[in-house]
Amino acid sequence: MPAVTVENPLTLPRVAAPAGARTRPVLAVSTAPTGFEGEGFPVRRAFAGIAYAYLDPFIMMDQMGEVEYAPGEPKGTPWHPHRGFETVTYLLDGTFVHRDSHGGGGVINDGDTQWMTAGSGLLHIEAPPESLVMSGGLFHGLQLWVNLPKSDKMMAPRYQDIGGGQVKLLTSTDGGALLRLIAGDIDGHRGPGITHTPITMMHLTVNPGAEVTLPWRTDFNGLAYALSGRGTAGAEGRPFHMGQAVVFGEGDALTIRADESQESRSPNFEVVLLGGLPIREPMMHYGPFVMNTHAELAQAFEDFQAGRLGTIPADEV
């Protein structure tokens, strides 16, 4: 980690908050509990315990791994349904194969992002390829759930496969931080992800002792999650480290700083920054469905049980 980098960040466009920008204060730091997902791969529930008022339009995020599998150990998910939101799978290390009940599918590798809009619903499966199962190896990634407004919840499913080479690479004013802009706009630069709900998603690599202050839309919320390493958030220097999430308050800039000393296995501070325009609609989440009312959740389960979200392909049964 990370898979997408550059030898000399100073060759990249530089991003900085304007003079006089109001840096967002840190409202809270939380530690992600650990668990297991799918067929048993380890995850950290990045936003567990954070009030939805601070997350909206994001629903949840899992850090998958980081885990070094022995031969025969790699695991994925069984076939399962989704309706009413988008999943964003960002892979840092390893390979995942996706297939769905509508005939779609693909492979994502180191540095790639797959953006799946579940919309009206489908069945899908995510699994390591047979070659990785046989050999074992490093697996590490994120899966983010982004809510859809009521007007888009029943839209037709769609996909965006964003290769690692498509992300917009940027740097801080002194080259001490590398920014990978996956979706949204920052200081006039746009990431490749196309979103229904306006959001910003980026992965920062901050060198030991370096600091970056980025402009941030005042109408967006602000969240940070540490993938590895340790540092601080906000002008007040609130400490956080691997497996911890930061909730920012109001303002028009975000500050992240890496500690001078990092772990030998994580030489830099790796942070995901997220911001989005709150939808501010009722959100009902149960299992794989995210709707606006309990009645809509019940309808989603009924449609799934009746086979209206698709059927598992015959060669997978």
Side-chain angles (χ1 to χ4, degrees):
M1 182 181 73
V4 180
T5 188
V6 65
E7 185 173 342
N8 182 9
L10 291 174
T11 63
L12 300 172
R14 304 186 193 191
V15 177
R22 185 164 60 100
T23 303
R24 291 183 176 223
V26 174
L27 299 182
V29 174
S30 62
T31 300
T34 59
F36 294 91
E37 187 56 80
E39 296 173 333
F41 59 85
V43 297
R44 287 186 175 91
R45 306 290 190 189
F47 296 152
I50 299 175
Y52 182 64
Y54 296 123
L55 296 179
D56 185 12
F58 308 110
I59 301 162
M60 57 166 279
M61 187 169 73
D62 281 348
Q63 181 181 9
M64 305 179 294
E66 177 177 6
V67 58
E68 184 77 40
Y69 284 121
E73 286 187 341
K75 300 176 177 67
T77 69
W79 283 93
H80 59 284
H82 284 308
R83 172 180 279 180
F85 65 102
E86 300 182 286
T87 65
V88 182
T89 304
Y90 175 46
L91 206 58
L92 294 156
D93 298 288
T95 303
F96 238 21
V97 178
H98 165 84
R99 191 175 182 191
D100 73 31
S101 54
H102 292 270
V107 179
I108 53 174
N109 298 294
D110 301 356
D112 295 347
T113 302
Q114 184 192 70
W115 208 292
M116 183 184 83
T117 303
S120 59
L122 45 65
L123 308 181
H124 80 145
I125 186 172
E126 298 157 305
E130 184 177 355
S131 59
L132 182 61
V133 175
M134 295 295 291
S135 67
L138 185 61
F139 179 77
H140 190 199
L142 289 174
Q143 187 168 94
L144 171 71
W145 289 17
V146 185
N147 201 6
L148 286 170
K150 183 177 180 64
S151 59
D152 291 331
K153 282 193 177 295
M154 297 300 287
M155 68 176 292
R158 75 166 191 182
Y159 298 90
Q160 299 172 69
D161 289 314
I162 304 170
Q166 295 177 268
V167 300
K168 184 67 176 179
L169 296 180
L170 306 163
T171 191
S172 54
T173 52
D174 61 359
L178 175 64
L179 288 58
R180 301 167 193 82
L181 184 58
I182 297 169
D185 297 277
I186 193 85
D187 199 23
H189 303 281
R190 175 177 287 275
I194 300 170
T195 68
H196 290 279
T197 303
I199 73 167
T200 295
M201 178 180 182
M202 70 176 70
H203 171 195
L204 275 62
T205 297
V206 189
N207 295 339
E211 180 178 286
V212 57
T213 298
L214 303 174
W216 210 253
R217 279 180 52 167
T218 57
D219 56 347
F220 275 22
N221 59 358
L223 300 159
Y225 179 75
L227 293 167
S228 66
R230 53 181 176 258
T232 63
E236 67 269 44
R238 184 80 171 266
F240 74 114
H241 56 73
M242 181 185 71
Q244 291 190 313
V246 174
V247 177
F248 290 95
E250 296 182 353
D252 52 12
L254 296 183
T255 295
I256 299 291
R257 180 179 176 83
D259 285 358
E260 295 281 354
S261 175
Q262 299 289 331
E263 300 173 358
S264 59
R265 71 182 186 91
S266 304
N268 301 302
F269 193 28
E270 306 286 348
V271 178
V272 172
L273 289 183
L274 295 166
L277 186 66
I279 296 174
R280 295 195 174 94
E281 293 177 349
M283 189 275 287
M284 301 292 173
H285 169 208
Y286 189 80
F289 305 122
V290 181
M291 304 303 291
N292 295 103
T293 67
H294 288 293
E296 290 169 346
L297 284 179
Q299 184 65 55
F301 274 102
E302 181 181 322
D303 289 346
F304 166 54
Q305 292 170 342
R308 289 189 284 268
L309 300 190
T311 56
I312 299 173
D315 62 345
E316 290 275 353
V317 176

